[in-house]
Every structure is written in C-alpha cells, then in structure tokens.
Amino acid sequence: MAKALDGVRVLDMTHVQSGPSATQILAWLGADVVKLEAPTGDITRRQLRDVPDADSLYFTMLNSNKRSVTLNTKSEQGKRIFLDLVRGSDVLVENFAPGALDRMGFTWEVLHEANPKLVYASIKGFGPGAYADFKAYEVIAQAMGGSMSTTGFDTGPPLATGAQIGDSGTGMHLVAGVLAALLQRTRTGLGQRVEVAMQEAVLNLCRVKLRDQQRLAHGPLAEYPNDEFGDEVPRSGNASGGGQPGWAVRTAPGGPNDYVYVIIQPPGWPHLAELVGRPELATDPEWATPEARLDKLDKAFSLIEEWSSKLPKWEVLARLNERNIPCGPILSTREIIQDETLRASGIVTDVEHPQRGSYTTVGLPIRLSDSPADVRRSPLLGEHNTEIYGGELGLSDGELADLAANGVI
C-alpha cells in the first residue's frame, strides 16, 4: 500500500534525539530518509550500550526505517557529494549548533541555489536573541521553557519530567513545520526554511501554566491543592491543572507504581461516594457540588485513597470504569512493554536487528487509514553507501574505493 510521503526524499543530518525523532516520524510516514553520518557515526550508536559492539538502544529506537550513508562533509570531495545529495532531496533536516552548516559553506542561500525546492529544517536550542548561543539539552529546555518550575510538589525542588518534551517534543513540532512547508511548496514551487527552538517548543507545551500565571492576578487558583500562592504559578504535585480535579491515589500492595489516577467529574461524584462507603456525601450540601468540594479536594481524594489502598490497582480500575469514572493506572515501563493492548495496536513492537537480535521499540502514534506504518530496524553505519552513492549518484566501484581509502566515506 502506498504511503503518505512516498516520493519524498529527506536528507537527515541530525544526531542524538531531537532531530532523529522528527526524521523517524517522516520515515514511518513513508519518506525515504537518508541518514547522513560522519564516518565515525552518530554518537548515540555508542552511548548507553547494553550489548558490546552493537548499536545502542538509544540509536536504534530513534532511527527506524532509515537508510545510512557516511560522508566527511569537511573534505572537498565530500562537499561536492553533499551538494549532489541536496539536489536530489526534498527536505534537509539538521540539529547542529547554531551556524555549523554555515561555517562549512552550506548557508541557506547556497543550498537554496543548489535546489530551490529544498525545505531546510533546523532544530536549535533557542530562538534569536540573548539565548541563541546557549547549549541546549533536554532538561535545560525544560528548565527554560516553564516545565520544571511547575513540576513537582510545592515543598520540593523543581523536577524534570520523564517525557522528553524538550527533544522529542521539539521533533514533533518540526514534523508539523516540514509538512506545512511541503504543502506550501505544491502551490509556490519553492522550498523554505523551517526552524524550531527547543525552549519555545517546551513553552508551547506549557501554555496552560502561562494561562494560570495571568489568572493569578485575580486571586488564588482554586483548583490547585496549594495552601499559599505568591506571584508565580506554584508546583502542584499531581493535580490535573484543568477544570476537573484529579489525583493519583494509592492502591494495594503499595509498590512504587501501585497508583490509579482518578478524575472527579460532577456526574461521577455520587458513584465515588458510594464506592468509598460514604453515600450520604452525594447529597450533603457540603460535598454535593463541585463548588462545595473545591476547598476540600484533599479530603475528597483521601477518602478515595482509603478505599483504593485496600485493593489491587487493576481491581480499582475495573470498579471505577464500571461506573464511568475517568481513571487510569500508573503504568511502569515494565508494564508498558508487556501490555497486550499496546502490543496489539502496534505502538509497542519488537524489531529484529542483525547485531543485537530482537529489541522492543515504540511505533508511530499517528494512524492514517490509507497509510499504515511499518517499523523496520535502524540502519547499520554506512549500510547504504554503495546503494546510494553507486546506484543513485552513479559513482563507480573504483571511485567508492578511493573515497573510502581517503576517509571521505
């Protein structure tokens, strides 16, 4: 079956996580993604290795469905080959430090002249201005994008989230920009620059906290569990942060992930009151309405936890779902890997790799009815040099041998 991005060639000059997460989605959607690596390879091939002399899970889980070529773009021969690759590509994606490609001589103007249809997409740590040259990492982006100051409990320090909102979150934003630029190209015939900054992507994901910062001007945030408010949005633990209050309540036997997250909706309150053995709270004026419960949400969730802590997590979930109460179990990483539902949907899947055998990875979370995604293994370093340089650029076996001998590929 044809894929949504069949016929689109992506030249992938990304490394580590933010860029590869974006190009992997494009590959899953059907683009021919050619990962262009230095002869030494993406650094994450060797980082956090669990199998000696094999590509790490860090690399394999971010580079599915791609082809790999190696090239020393600092050599004169490498520069010429690079421009040949650019001329045959629809999209170039890079996440180097600011100005890295410019210093190699590959400015936007040079690339646009070589291929006017090229969409040139970049991920940087920060947008223009005072932060532009700061070095960015996942948690630095969380720190400067509003996430860390609003994550954790009000009595503790700022916390990073386990979700990679700085790296992979930025990659998701870049995918949207690339697809928009490709669509616009169908009308204009021209490519354009696409840039996404990690700080700004995190900030976009934290927009509700900026909403609440402005609401503070009109008084305390009633839906927050905090006792005191200053002039900044506080850390609010596991509060839902929305119009319907929620909290993670403990379940038996009390392990680190034996919790269920519960939302109290107005229609669900009578059912919750019944479950916790306090049916009279459904009609008690002090408890019956959301407004009445607002100043005693901690007590409400304590009542629920008194009930839930005596039952296993999945039994709590079943009883809540029977009554149509919004809830979800806190799933550990082990539980997620073993989850039959997630495996049946394909979002958790096993892939065979020639170096490391079978490994588990995450599939495409976007479902297109006419463009199903298959998850193929990540490429070995330079696995497609002959296929692309020889079969597509027309270099002879002798030329390829010379390039390899001279360290160009």
Side-chain angles (χ1 to χ4, degrees):
M1 182 179 289
K3 300 291 182 67
L5 295 183
D6 276 351
V8 173
R9 166 71 66 85
V10 177
L11 187 57
D12 179 4
M13 299 185 74
T14 67
H15 56 286
V16 192
Q17 184 181 165
S18 62
S21 67
T23 52
Q24 179 168 256
I25 288 180
L26 296 172
W28 280 334
L29 292 172
D32 175 19
V33 176
V34 176
K35 187 173 180 69
L36 182 64
E37 302 181 68
T40 53
D42 185 325
I43 190 173
T44 58
R45 286 184 182 271
R46 303 179 297 279
Q47 283 188 339
L48 307 177
R49 269 183 171 155
D50 58 317
V51 177
D53 301 320
D55 288 335
S56 70
L57 288 168
Y58 196 171
F59 179 85
T60 60
M61 293 179 70
L62 286 161
N63 290 281
S64 300
N65 294 50
K66 303 177 185 179
R67 298 193 288 169
S68 169
V69 295
T70 54
L71 188 66
N72 178 3
T73 54
K74 296 179 180 178
S75 68
E76 289 307 312
Q77 289 172 300
K79 290 177 187 292
R80 290 194 293 271
I81 292 173
F82 173 67
L83 286 177
D84 285 339
L85 291 171
V86 167
R87 293 184 185 100
S89 299
D90 298 285
V91 181
L92 183 152
V93 185
E94 58 92 9
N95 63 333
F96 294 119
L101 276 185
D102 291 359
R103 291 189 290 273
M104 284 190 268
F106 302 124
T107 63
W108 162 242
E109 291 75 20
V110 168
L111 297 176
H112 186 64
E113 181 179 358
N115 180 358
K117 293 185 175 182
L118 183 73
V119 172
Y120 177 8
S122 302
I123 288 177
K124 301 303 174 199
F126 305 92
Y131 307 139
D133 294 326
F134 283 22
K135 289 187 175 179
Y137 284 80
E138 166 66 46
V139 183
I140 292 175
Q142 290 189 29
M144 297 182 67
S147 177
M148 287 187 71
S149 69
T150 55
T151 301
F153 287 83
D154 59 354
T155 55
L159 293 179
T161 174
Q164 303 291 282
I165 61 175
D167 278 323
S168 289
T170 304
M172 303 292 177
H173 284 79
L174 191 78
V175 169
V178 166
L179 296 179
L182 287 173
L183 179 62
Q184 187 170 359
R185 193 182 70 173
T186 64
R187 300 190 297 271
T188 66
L190 294 173
Q192 61 184 293
R193 295 237 27 198
V194 177
E195 294 184 354
V196 180
M198 292 170 66
Q199 180 191 25
E200 295 171 1
V202 171
L203 180 56
N204 184 45
L205 297 174
C206 292
R207 65 173 55 239
V208 297
K209 298 302 182 180
L210 264 66
R211 172 201 69 191
D212 293 345
Q213 176 65 39
Q214 296 169 84
R215 292 173 59 225
L216 271 175
H218 304 286
L221 305 172
E223 76 281 6
Y224 277 56
N226 308 69
D227 294 326
E228 297 180 2
F229 290 86
D231 59 0
E232 298 172 336
V233 173
R235 292 184 278 282
S236 57
N238 288 321
S240 67
Q244 307 294 335
W247 201 257
V249 296
R250 185 175 290 278
T251 65
N257 291 298
D258 288 328
Y259 289 86
V260 170
Y261 198 86
V262 181
I263 300 285
I264 301 177
Q265 285 183 320
W269 178 247
H271 299 293
L272 283 168
E274 178 190 2
L275 277 173
V276 304
R278 298 289 300 277
E280 73 278 5
L281 298 183
T283 54
D284 185 336
E286 293 294 316
W287 289 88
T289 67
E291 293 76 18
R293 291 190 296 272
L294 207 52
D295 64 350
K296 54 179 75 69
L297 287 175
D298 55 341
K299 296 179 182 178
F301 286 109
S302 292
L303 287 171
I304 296 170
E305 188 167 81
E306 287 178 17
W307 163 75
S308 66
S309 61
K310 300 178 178 68
L311 300 171
K313 177 163 63 178
W314 294 99
E315 185 173 346
V316 170
L317 187 77
R319 294 196 186 187
L320 291 171
N321 275 321
E322 284 173 0
R323 292 158 176 82
N324 203 30
I325 295 167
C327 60
I330 308 303
L331 295 180
S332 71
T333 49
R334 177 183 59 81
E335 288 173 309
I336 286 172
I337 282 180
Q338 297 174 352
D339 191 284
E340 294 181 3
T341 298
L342 296 176
R343 285 188 169 273
S345 73
I347 192 64
V348 174
T349 187
D350 294 328
V351 178
E352 291 295 326
H353 190 277
Q355 292 177 329
R356 59 178 305 116
S358 178
Y359 66 93
T360 302
T361 191
V362 180
L364 179 65
I366 304 166
R367 292 185 177 85
L368 279 67
S369 62
D370 293 337
S371 182
D374 59 322
V375 178
R376 303 191 304 274
R377 69 167 174 86
S378 60
L380 303 178
L381 180 61
E383 181 177 350
H384 301 94
N385 279 353
T386 300
E387 180 177 300
I388 292 175
Y389 292 144
E392 297 180 17
L393 295 188
L395 299 180
S396 67
D397 290 345
E399 289 173 311
L400 290 174
D402 287 341
L403 291 171
N406 293 328
V408 179
I409 62 173

